[in-house]
Amino acid sequence: AQKVTQAQTEISVVEKEDVTLDCVYETRDTTYYLFWYKQPPSGELVFLIRRNSFDEQNEISGRYSWNFQKSTSSFNFTITASQVVDSAVYFCALTQGGSEKLVFGKGTKLTVNP
Amino acid sequence: DGGITQSPKYLFRKEGQNVTLSCEQNLNHDAMYWYRQDPGQGLRLIYYSQIVNDFQKGDIAEGYSVSREKKESFPLTVTSAQKNPTAFYLCASSILDWDDNEQFFGPGTRLTVL
């Protein structure tokens, strides 16, 4: 069965610090997708990134970067020079069984203090 | 503007009453999903639909029902059989393309059963 583990329940940093959110997944599928979503206090989930299982290239988008390593079944997310607006709950998710269905981790609550 | 709307944002009901949560999308997406989120938990899939007049149970379908009479609409009914209905409910949609499969979320409905 698919499973996503986000071991960090809450993280608190001071503005401008770098922070890494961990995501470890389990799947028997050979083809799968991993996602990161952001949930600000308003509640709506915002899509951040999708990565398929055949593409292990790291990705950078502005202050955000993602490190995908199949060898350790991890898909970690780093925010560089964090800002107060980054405060949110971040979810990692994995496709189930070759379908569009997702299984989510429990999320990491990030608080960035001024 | 294209997007997903959920109404109402907050809903209060007495125990034992059925309640229907609305979800509408104008993104022309084929697939729609309902998730439940409890405090400190990830999202859990209740029901999903890939085509009009067809839907499948997710991981926690007991006590819930859905319909998909129109492509744009996927209402969720929380029945009196649901033992712990108080939660945050999120609706999502996606296209049915394995290589373009991110889900887009609505703003959510917070249901409180008194």
Side-chain angles (χ1 to χ4, degrees), chain B:
Chain B
D1 285 333
I4 302 174
T5 57
Q6 291 185 244
S7 61
K9 191 167 178 62
Y10 298 96
L11 190 55
F12 297 89
R13 279 294 181 268
K14 291 183 179 179
E15 198 170 338
Q17 289 182 334
N18 291 357
V19 60
T20 297
L21 281 58
S22 166
C23 178
E24 304 276 334
Q25 55 99 0
N26 61 5
L27 300 168
N28 199 32
H29 286 172
D30 290 302
M32 296 186 74
Y33 313 81
W34 274 105
Y35 293 91
R36 170 182 172 138
Q37 184 179 18
D38 293 285
Q41 301 293 315
L43 279 68
R44 293 182 290 169
L45 182 65
I46 304 172
Y47 268 98
Y48 67 102
S49 168
Q50 295 181 317
I51 194 170
V52 173
N53 293 322
D54 189 46
F55 45 83
Q56 286 77 42
K57 292 181 179 180
D59 301 316
I60 55 165
E62 186 174 349
Y64 299 98
S65 66
V66 293
S67 63
R68 187 90 186 272
E69 297 177 2
K70 299 186 299 182
K71 187 176 183 178
E72 305 78 23
S73 178
F74 192 40
L76 173 74
T77 297
V78 184
T79 75
S80 56
Q82 169 49 235
K83 290 182 172 46
N84 295 298
T86 294
F88 188 51
Y89 291 87
L90 285 154
C91 179
S93 69
S94 72
I95 64 173
L96 288 174
D97 181 342
W98 179 239
D99 290 324
D100 193 11
N101 57 358
E102 66 265 31
Q103 294 181 18
F104 295 88
F105 284 81
T109 292
R110 193 168 297 279
L111 173 64
T112 302
V113 175
L114 306 170

